[in-house]
Amino acid sequence: MKALVYKSTGSWYTVKDDSGQWHNARMKGVFKIDNITSTNPVAVGDEVEIDMNGEPMIVEIHPRRNYINRQSPRVKFQHHIVASNLDQSLLVATLKEPRTSQGFIDRFLVASEMFHVKALIAFNKSDLFKKKEQEQFEEMKEMYEAVGYKVFLTSTKENIGIGELKKELKDKTTLISGHSGVGKSSLLNIIFPGMNLKTQGVSGWSGKGQHTTTFAEMFDLPFGGRIIDTPGMREFGLVDVSKQEVSHYFPEMRERLNDCQFNNCLHVNEPGCAIKEAVANGGISEERYISYVNIMESIEEKSY
């Protein structure tokens, strides 16, 4: 029987079958998928076959359209698959209380590009904006929309941008992410009043720190579509990406790569670099280029 995985707790999986019935299922044996060294072979969003003879058992995972992963909290070069079969990802960010760094936003966008998942950004808590934040938002909106990302302004207190966001979520499977304190739970509660997610104040947020081990969970939206919540996910640790590849995940760089003098150009110190030239003449945002360099510096490549 075919079913969809809505929640994973490590050894038990909450699944919904094609007739709409819910089951708690276990996994039969060990799955090896696409040679992925993953700490969790079955992920939220997976389409699976379940055997209903006796205790429900997951016996097969159907091929994934895509998936998004991060570095495993425990094993440096292993993956933890966050979710699969996504139509899009939504990052909830804030410019105040707390401020989401541009580096974090750009890492999220790079992760989405790596896994061929369309990314959206919602800048939340617009009710706290003064003139400075409003100007910052306009600049960031212009910068991200120029390279192909949709940007929303939202406030749960003033009901700003909620209808627009709902339209974007309708009939799609969306992964939603963001630092603690950005109002993600409040946003989800207003989009989907039945969810009743616990909200946590900014005081609980302590920077990036260690990954918290929490589990993604998928919810059916009342107006069509599904949302996958990723509580406690503070950072996308980019895995299996080489320094050579990073520029391919910046759309504004990707379209200029063939113009560099050297085909193995890393766009840092090389002569005849079309990317650095575009930064100098304003074709590529300096802030985005700084994020690129920071990501490059953070990549530890495996030594074989």
Side-chain angles (χ1 to χ4, degrees), residues 4-292:
L4 195 57
V5 178
Y6 275 71
K7 190 176 184 180
S8 145
T9 58
S11 52
W12 284 94
Y13 301 90
T14 304
V15 302
K16 185 161 83 165
D17 68 28
D18 280 352
S19 69
Q21 295 292 306
W22 293 92
H23 309 277
N24 276 330
R26 292 178 89 92
M27 187 173 73
K28 184 178 182 180
V30 176
F31 292 112
K32 184 103 173 96
I33 309 165
D34 304 333
N35 299 316
I36 299 169
T37 319
S38 165
T39 54
N40 60 327
V42 179
V44 170
D46 275 344
E47 292 177 337
V48 296
E49 286 294 328
I50 51 172
D51 181 349
M52 294 300 293
N53 292 321
E55 181 183 68
M57 194 72 76
I58 295 171
V59 292
E60 185 191 341
I61 301 169
H62 290 284
R64 295 174 173 137
R65 282 189 291 124
N66 58 29
Y67 63 90
I68 205 162
N69 73 8
R70 62 177 174 131
Q71 194 170 299
S72 162
R74 297 184 199 84
V75 188
K76 192 183 239 177
F77 288 116
Q78 275 206 338
H79 300 237
H80 177 84
I81 298 172
V82 178
S84 70
N85 299 321
L86 301 163
D87 294 310
Q88 58 193 16
S89 60
L90 169 66
L91 179 67
V92 181
T94 40
L95 295 176
K96 201 174 182 180
E97 294 182 27
R99 178 176 166 73
T100 306
S101 73
Q102 191 181 326
F104 183 83
I105 296 170
D106 288 335
R107 286 180 85 87
F108 177 88
L109 296 176
V110 165
S112 297
E113 292 279 343
M114 278 173 66
F115 300 112
H116 308 290
V117 176
K118 175 183 151 189
L120 316 166
I121 311 164
F123 285 95
N124 196 27
K125 299 191 180 181
S126 67
D127 49 287
L128 298 177
F129 285 12
K130 302 241 176 347
K131 186 167 181 275
K132 182 182 125 187
E133 286 80 28
Q134 190 59 45
E135 284 169 1
Q136 270 179 333
F137 168 73
E138 297 299 342
E139 282 169 19
M140 293 186 103
K141 180 180 166 74
E142 190 180 332
M143 176 178 70
Y144 286 119
E145 290 191 338
V147 295
Y149 297 109
K150 277 196 176 175
V151 176
F152 300 87
L153 186 66
T154 56
S155 163
T156 51
K157 285 192 176 162
E158 296 178 353
N159 203 20
I160 291 167
I162 306 300
E164 205 185 344
L165 201 52
K166 278 183 175 178
K167 276 185 202 159
E168 209 61 43
L169 300 176
K170 184 173 161 47
D171 300 330
K172 296 192 179 93
T173 299
T174 308
L175 175 83
I176 185 166
S177 193
H179 279 312
S180 301
V182 294
K184 177 166 65 82
S185 298
S186 303
L187 200 58
L188 285 176
N189 285 338
I190 203 169
I191 287 168
F192 180 13
M195 267 173 108
N196 293 324
L197 289 178
K198 292 191 188 80
T199 58
Q200 183 186 344
V202 180
S203 59
W205 184 74
S206 57
K208 282 185 280 192
Q210 185 58 30
H211 296 295
T212 51
T213 309
T214 44
F215 298 98
E217 184 170 4
M218 187 156 71
F219 301 89
D220 290 325
L221 292 169
F223 47 84
R226 301 183 183 97
I227 200 133
I228 299 175
D229 184 29
T230 53
M233 198 156 105
R234 294 171 177 156
E235 185 69 280
F236 272 115
L238 303 175
V239 275
D240 281 1
V241 59
S242 68
K243 293 192 176 200
Q244 198 66 55
E245 290 173 89
V246 177
S247 56
H248 294 257
Y249 304 127
F250 281 74
E252 65 272 45
M253 294 186 185
R254 192 163 55 221
E255 63 190 36
R256 295 175 165 93
L257 294 178
N258 293 334
D259 301 332
C260 287
Q261 186 177 330
F262 301 106
N263 61 8
N264 62 346
C265 186
L266 291 177
H267 325 297
V268 182
N269 298 314
E270 300 87 344
C273 172
I275 303 301
K276 285 195 296 178
E277 189 184 321
V279 175
N281 66 27
I284 288 178
S285 138
E286 195 174 324
E287 288 82 0
R288 287 273 289 167
Y289 179 72
I290 289 166
S291 285
Y292 165 77

